[in-house]
Amino acid sequence: MPTNEIVNPRTGQRMLFVHHDAALLQIDTVNPPGPPEPMHVHPHQETSAEVLAGVLHFSIEGQEYVVRAGERIVIPPNVPHNFWNPGPEDAHSLQEARPALRSEEFFRDWFALMDETPPTSDGVKVTPRMIVLISSYGDVLRPTSPPWSIIRVGGLLLRPFVRLRGYRPPSASR
């Protein structure tokens, strides 16, 4: 049985899965200071974050919001957004996804892939494995760039290649 806590080895972000049923996924997160995550959408989920300590910045459809301890932000489905912690201390929040879908599985697979992918001086190098993983979770999360149609086709074309090389995400449906 998997542990309830996972850590992104690149960013230090920690996620503790505190509740998961079909209707709701709740994740207790600790977000170290760092740059924004990539802009993305959750096509079928409302997401939210209640900041418990520290500060998180959100960019939602191009508008920036500062969310402090005791405040909550809600992001409707299919709305482009990202978030980051400008520092200097960790930000602690309770994040939710409604419905849960396969969000927990996505984060587990993504963090595992970050652990396997060698770092580069300018961040994360996009690999065929990443494209396949992201394309297999399009119901949960979609980057806004490049366009989803390109990611989806790229994932379909690269899937046989990465399977031949032995890569199978542990949780993704295949």
Side-chain angles (χ1 to χ4, degrees):
M1 179 159 188
T3 178
N4 282 347
E5 184 174 63
I6 59 174
V7 178
N8 185 326
R10 288 191 186 267
T11 65
Q13 181 185 36
R14 296 189 315 269
M15 293 184 166
L16 176 66
F17 300 103
V18 294
H19 179 86
H20 187 177
D21 61 27
L24 171 68
L25 174 65
Q26 287 182 319
I27 311 168
D28 188 312
T29 68
V30 176
N31 301 281
E37 61 185 8
M39 188 67 66
H40 62 278
V41 300
H42 301 276
H44 309 291
Q45 297 169 295
E46 175 186 273
T47 58
S48 66
E50 178 184 352
V51 176
L52 306 173
V55 175
L56 288 175
H57 287 221
F58 286 79
S59 177
I60 302 172
E61 289 190 304
Q63 185 169 348
E64 189 172 326
Y65 299 87
V66 178
V67 184
R68 295 176 174 80
E71 298 177 341
R72 182 172 186 262
I73 193 161
V74 177
I75 304 158
N78 213 33
V79 172
H81 67 281
N82 65 355
F83 72 93
W84 65 98
N85 175 358
E89 58 198 37
D90 287 353
H92 181 197
S93 67
L94 182 63
Q95 298 189 16
E96 297 182 343
R98 297 173 187 272
L101 302 177
R102 299 180 305 140
S103 297
E104 180 175 344
E105 293 84 356
F106 168 78
F107 288 119
R108 287 183 184 281
D109 286 347
W110 182 253
F111 282 22
L113 187 58
M114 291 297 96
D115 196 33
E116 297 172 9
T117 307
T120 63
S121 60
D122 60 347
V124 176
K125 177 183 174 189
V126 176
T127 67
R129 287 180 176 190
M130 285 181 191
I131 294 167
V132 169
L133 186 135
I134 290 169
S135 71
S136 68
Y137 283 104
D139 60 325
V140 172
L141 184 143
R142 296 178 182 178
T144 59
S145 180
W148 177 246
S149 58
I150 291 172
I151 293 171
R152 184 73 181 132
V153 168
L156 291 171
L157 293 173
L158 290 169
R159 186 168 283 119
F161 169 75
V162 299
R163 282 186 176 209
L164 283 174
R165 300 204 54 155
Y167 177 66
R168 284 172 176 68
S171 302
S173 65
R174 296 183 249 301

